[in-house]
Amino acid sequence: MIPPSFDYHVAKTLPEAVALLAKLGQNGDEAKVLSGGQSLLPLLKLRLARPAHLVDIGRIPGLDYIKEEGGFLKIGALVRESQLDASELVRAKYPILVDTTEVIADPLVRNQATVAGNLAHGDPANDHPATMLAYGAEIVATGKKGTRTIPIGKFFTSLFETALAPDEILTEIRIPVPPPRSGGAYVKLERKVGDFATAASAAQVTLGPGGEVERVGIGLTNAGPTPIQATAAEQFLRGKKPDAATIAEAARLAATAAAPSADRRGTVEYKTEMARVLTGRALAKAIARAQGE
C-alpha cells in the first residue's frame, strides 16, 4: 500500500528537532520522529499510522555513541542494531544485548534500525524492551522542558504507547554496568528467522559470594499489550541458590505474569507455556554466564 500524505522535516540539530515537534503539536497535528524507520515505515504503508508530519533526526551528529560513563553503558539515539552487534565493548560485557540484536529481523533491517527506535515504538513484540526491563535500564528523554530520565519499568504505558511526551525524543538509553559475577541471556521462539517472537524471555542475573541470586531481572516479549516484567519471579529468586527446582518455579511464576493474545503464532495457552519454557532457558543460560561458563 501507499502511505497517506505527510510533510517531511529534516532536523540538523537536537534543539531544532525538539522545536519542530513542539511547534507542530501546537497546530493540533500529529508528528512522528523518524530515525531508522524500520518500525514506522511499515505502519505508514499499511495506514495504521497517519501522522501529518515526520521529523527526521537521522542526520543529527553526535547521537550514535556506545560508551561506558558514570556507571552506565550509554547508547545514543542513532545507534543502529548492527553497530551494537559489532561493538567490542558490548560483546565483552553485555552478551544479552548481542543475543537480542542478533534475532531482530535480518541484516538489511539491522543496518538501518536503531535501538532507541525499537523502544520508542512501544511494540510489545519488539525484542529490546524485555532486555531493557531485565537490565533495569533508564530512558533519557529530551523535550522543550529539558531532559528527564524515565525508569524503563514506567516507560511502556499501553499498546504502542510510551511515557514520551509529544515533543520529546528518546535521546539515550542507560544500562547499569553489571557487577562481577553477572550474566544475561535472551531466548526467543519464532516461526522463521527474523520473525516477531511467538514468545521470548530476557534474564539478567548477578550472583552473590555464596552463589545465591543477589539481583535478577526478567522481561517477557509478546506476552501482553506491553512488555512485561516478571516481578513475582524476580522476588522469588532473590537470595536463593539457583538450582534446577528454583529455576523451574521462577519460570512458572514468570508465566503467570503473561497475558498474551491468540493469533496465527499460537493460542493463549501455548504462548503462556512458551513464556514459562523460555524463561527457564534464559535463566539457566544467564546463570551459567554469571558463573563464568
Side-chain angles (χ1 to χ4, degrees):
M1 294 180 66
I2 299 174
S5 61
F6 55 82
D7 290 334
Y8 175 70
H9 311 265
V10 178
K12 296 181 180 178
T13 67
L14 186 56
E16 181 183 352
V18 170
L20 272 170
L21 289 173
K23 177 182 177 182
L24 297 171
Q26 289 177 351
N27 297 332
D29 294 329
E30 183 184 10
K32 289 284 188 181
V33 175
L34 176 68
S35 53
Q38 300 306 294
S39 294
L40 178 59
L41 293 180
L43 287 186
L44 293 177
K45 288 183 177 181
L46 293 171
R47 301 204 171 199
L48 296 176
R50 296 170 175 264
H53 304 272
L54 291 188
V55 178
D56 189 345
I57 65 169
R59 304 178 200 184
I60 297 175
L63 292 179
D64 60 348
Y65 54 84
I66 302 172
K67 61 183 179 181
E68 283 186 338
E69 184 179 77
F72 292 94
L73 174 70
K74 296 184 176 182
I75 302 171
L78 294 182
V79 171
R80 313 286 176 179
E81 299 287 354
S82 57
Q83 290 175 262
L84 198 69
D85 186 38
S87 167
E88 293 183 6
L89 171 61
V90 170
R91 286 193 163 271
K93 296 182 65 174
Y94 303 87
I96 187 175
L97 290 178
V98 180
D99 288 352
T100 306
T101 195
E102 283 181 340
V103 294
I104 292 175
D106 54 47
L108 290 175
V109 170
R110 293 195 292 270
N111 283 338
Q112 290 295 321
T114 62
V115 184
N118 192 279
L119 298 177
H121 190 53
D123 188 345
N126 279 353
D127 295 290
H128 281 297
T131 295
M132 298 305 170
L133 284 169
Y135 266 131
E138 296 176 350
I139 300 301
V140 178
T142 302
K144 63 181 181 181
K145 295 181 180 179
T147 298
R148 66 185 179 117
T149 302
I150 308 168
I152 192 67
K154 296 182 179 179
F155 185 69
F156 304 105
T157 58
S158 186
L159 182 65
F160 291 100
E161 296 287 341
T162 71
L164 290 172
D167 70 320
E168 286 184 321
I169 298 171
L170 196 167
T171 49
E172 185 176 88
I173 304 161
R174 294 178 180 172
I175 296 172
V177 175
R181 293 178 60 79
S182 294
Y186 184 68
V187 182
K188 177 179 179 178
L189 174 65
E190 52 194 347
R191 294 180 302 174
K192 59 184 179 62
V193 174
D195 191 16
F196 285 112
T198 300
S201 179
Q204 178 68 21
V205 176
T206 299
L207 300 178
E212 73 283 0
V213 175
E214 191 172 89
R215 188 267 174 194
V216 59
I218 301 171
L220 303 179
T221 298
N222 227 0
T226 65
I228 290 174
Q229 185 167 3
T231 54
E234 295 171 352
Q235 292 170 2
F236 170 78
L237 277 169
R238 292 189 188 105
K240 294 183 174 66
K241 292 289 185 67
D243 56 27
T246 300
I247 291 172
E249 178 60 12
R252 186 192 70 80
L253 289 171
T256 64
S261 299
D263 57 23
R264 287 181 295 177
R265 292 180 175 85
T267 63
V268 169
E269 293 77 14
Y270 176 72
K271 291 183 177 183
T272 302
E273 176 64 5
M274 289 304 98
R276 182 191 68 81
V277 171
L278 297 174
T279 298
R281 292 177 183 177
L283 282 168
K285 189 174 182 180
I287 290 163
R289 283 174 168 171
Q291 293 169 338
E293 299 177 16

